[in-house]
Amino acid sequence: MERFCSFNKIAMNSFKSFLLAAVLLLSTGMAAFAQQGGQFRVLVFSKTAGFRHQSIPNGVMALKKMGEKHVFSVHTSEDANQFTDENLAKYDVVVLMSTTGTIFNDAQKAAFQKFVQSGKGVVGVHSATDTEYEWPWYNQMIGGYFLAHPRNQTLRLHVADRTHPATWHLPENWLWTDELYEFKSLNPAIKVLIQADETTYQPAKAMGANHPMAWYHEFDGGRAFYTNWGHTHETFDEPLVL
């Protein structure tokens, strides 16, 4: 009887060890899967050297929640020293969350260019077009520069391209209230997704029939997407915008 109890104890301890090893192996395997292909990694960068939008924390939080829901990693920073070849290699996408002004030095610019040239993606939110006015490559990559904006108004938006994943869920004609940018130095290669109908509000400096609000394009080996939305806190609570 005593020998049977000892055998039972040894067997139970062996089973516990096996179970622990199996759990550790499974956990390691899942972690490796996540790193290898289970998700993509996003760097949300929100440094400002000019006007700072109070909606930035809302935008950052919205992307973190989207990451949790759709299983991708979101890392946030306002430190331009993150823009090195080694560090940017960790990420698949850089989101410029309402950045403003001159925010990169020459070495950081070079690293950002290599990131895009390696086939990676950039998403510009709102005042990402109010950034790096003295850097022609950035102008072409982001697609245009901020020129002016009128007071916040309600207007009619026209969804010009409903075949893109960012817009196929949107109504063709859409009423929206926001701070509406007008642009200069537009890259003619951008593919416009949404247009502002200037006949439905009072612009500051009219752009006419070609007044894009969101666009995308392939550029210098990578891809870029821009959206005008992001000025107000409420923007990041709107499912259609997200």
Side-chain angles (χ1 to χ4, degrees), residues 50-173:
F51 181 82
R52 185 169 182 84
H53 286 82
Q54 293 183 357
S55 61
I56 287 175
N58 300 71
V60 171
M61 183 55 65
L63 283 176
K64 286 183 176 179
K65 289 179 179 178
M66 288 175 68
E68 291 173 3
K69 181 178 179 180
H70 298 292
V71 197
F72 59 88
S73 297
V74 176
H75 302 262
T76 65
S77 180
E78 297 203 354
D79 181 5
N81 290 318
Q82 294 284 315
F83 282 70
T84 65
D85 293 346
E86 182 180 5
N87 191 59
L88 289 181
K90 302 173 186 175
Y91 301 105
D92 302 290
V93 181
V94 169
V95 176
L96 300 170
M97 180 61 69
S98 286
T99 52
T100 56
T102 301
I103 53 176
F104 299 115
N105 63 29
D106 289 344
Q108 293 155 1
K109 289 178 181 178
F112 196 11
Q113 285 186 231
K114 287 181 184 176
F115 172 82
V116 172
Q117 291 164 351
S118 71
K120 303 296 184 69
V122 178
V123 173
V125 177
H126 196 52
S127 59
T129 50
D130 190 22
T131 302
E132 293 293 348
Y133 286 97
E134 304 303 320
W135 186 11
W137 180 90
Y138 181 88
N139 174 212
Q140 293 298 298
M141 184 276 297
I142 205 65
Y145 280 140
F146 165 77
L147 174 63
H149 68 78
R151 59 182 172 81
N152 288 15
Q153 295 176 66
T154 301
L155 79 156
R156 171 186 174 269
L157 297 168
H158 171 63
V159 181
D161 180 356
R162 299 182 70 194
T163 65
H164 192 275
T167 53
W168 61 26
H169 65 296
L170 296 175
E172 184 177 351
N173 295 303

Side-chain angles (χ1 to χ4, degrees), residues 4 18 48 68 93 107 127 131 156 181 202 205 213 234:
F4 177 76
F18 169 77
T48 55
E68 291 173 3
V93 181
S127 59
T131 302
R156 171 186 174 269
Y181 276 10
Q202 295 179 341
K205 297 182 179 181
M213 289 279 96
E234 294 78 12

Side-chain angles (χ1 to χ4, degrees), residues 218-237:
E218 294 184 2
F219 176 77
D220 203 13
R223 295 175 293 170
F225 174 92
Y226 171 78
T227 173
N228 175 82
W229 287 271
H231 178 72
T232 66
H233 297 177
E234 294 78 12
T235 299
F236 298 105
D237 295 324

